[in-house]
Amino acid sequence: MALTTPPTRDKAVTRQRWLTGATIGWNAAEGVVAIAAGIAAGSVSLIGFGLDSGIEVSAALILAWRLAQERRTGCKQEVDRRAQRLIALSFAVLAVYVGVESTRDLVLADRPEESLVGIVLAALSLAVMPALARAKRRQAPLMGSRAVEAEAKQTVLCALLSGGLLVGLGANAALGWWWADPLAGLFIASLAAYETVAVWRADSLEDTCCG
């Protein structure tokens, strides 16, 4: 029986570049559709979901910059750390925005409108994002990059936000439970705040090439 050859670092970097490109493309399209549907339906949660997609694109662009730096100059610890910190800040932006908007919706009893487009979009995102996050996490130890792992965590948050949006819009459309969406938003905001601190303080992965 032939033994499987472990992936090399160069292959891992190439795969991660493809995954980063897929993240940027998917979330850019997702954000445009979500914001347009949110404006049409008057739904703050859908607009917020679209803005979250923009944050995910920004995190992916940060990681693309980090990979480009490695391609030109080799893996450098200071470059990886800088990318890691920038991704942590994007978690903070997400936590503040979703937390403020969710609290406002609860206090003002601002009910999201029914949106079939939003429900379908959230369901598609919930199907795609976990698989994309798992693929990214497999590359992180091969590359010795905490930045890759951090960006994968942001993709997980995108999946959680998709789930929260789906539950909120679905419960509102089917049962009239308007409060389900902002409660899910507060959970996601608290998780994003935790990840902000965790990613900011994280040390580099063991067996990293970076020096």
Side-chain angles (χ1 to χ4, degrees):
M1 180 181 296
L3 296 177
T4 302
T5 303
T8 65
R9 180 179 175 78
D10 287 343
K11 287 183 179 179
V13 171
T14 299
R15 288 175 185 171
Q16 183 58 43
R17 289 178 63 201
W18 280 104
L19 290 170
T20 301
T23 299
I24 293 170
W26 174 274
N27 282 282
E30 180 182 77
V32 170
V33 173
I35 291 174
I39 292 173
S43 171
V44 174
S45 61
L46 259 177
I47 294 173
F49 181 72
L51 294 176
D52 169 73
S53 296
I55 294 173
E56 177 69 18
V57 169
S58 70
L61 287 172
I62 290 167
L63 185 56
W65 164 78
R66 177 248 185 271
L67 294 173
Q69 289 286 338
E70 175 169 345
R71 191 177 182 85
R72 288 195 298 268
T73 63
C75 182
K76 301 296 183 182
Q77 181 68 43
E78 64 271 16
V79 173
D80 196 76
R81 173 66 71 176
R82 196 179 311 158
Q84 175 188 334
R85 292 286 174 87
L86 288 173
I87 292 171
L89 290 176
S90 71
F91 275 117
V93 171
L94 176 59
V96 170
Y97 176 78
V98 175
V100 168
E101 288 301 311
S102 298
T103 301
R104 187 187 69 84
D105 285 354
L106 280 173
V107 171
L108 299 179
D110 191 0
R111 307 187 179 201
E113 299 292 332
E114 296 180 18
S115 174
L116 178 60
V117 173
I119 291 173
V120 171
L121 181 65
L124 286 173
S125 182
L126 189 58
V128 171
M129 288 295 108
L132 189 58
R134 285 194 299 270
K136 291 177 182 179
R137 278 180 167 169
R138 283 196 293 268
Q139 306 310 310
L142 297 173
M143 295 177 61
S145 171
R146 183 65 73 176
V148 172
E149 187 177 81
E151 205 271 334
K153 287 181 179 180
Q154 181 128 3
T155 303
V156 172
L157 278 182
C158 184
L160 289 175
L161 189 58
S162 301
L165 179 67
L166 184 60
V167 169
L169 293 181
N172 181 60
L175 304 171
W177 292 355
W178 63 270
W179 39 264
D181 182 62
L183 282 181
L186 287 175
F187 167 74
I188 294 168
S190 64
L191 184 59
Y194 169 81
E195 291 295 346
T196 298
V197 177
V199 172
W200 185 273
R201 292 180 175 177
D203 295 325
S204 297
L205 294 178
E206 293 181 359
D207 301 322
T208 178
C209 78
C210 299

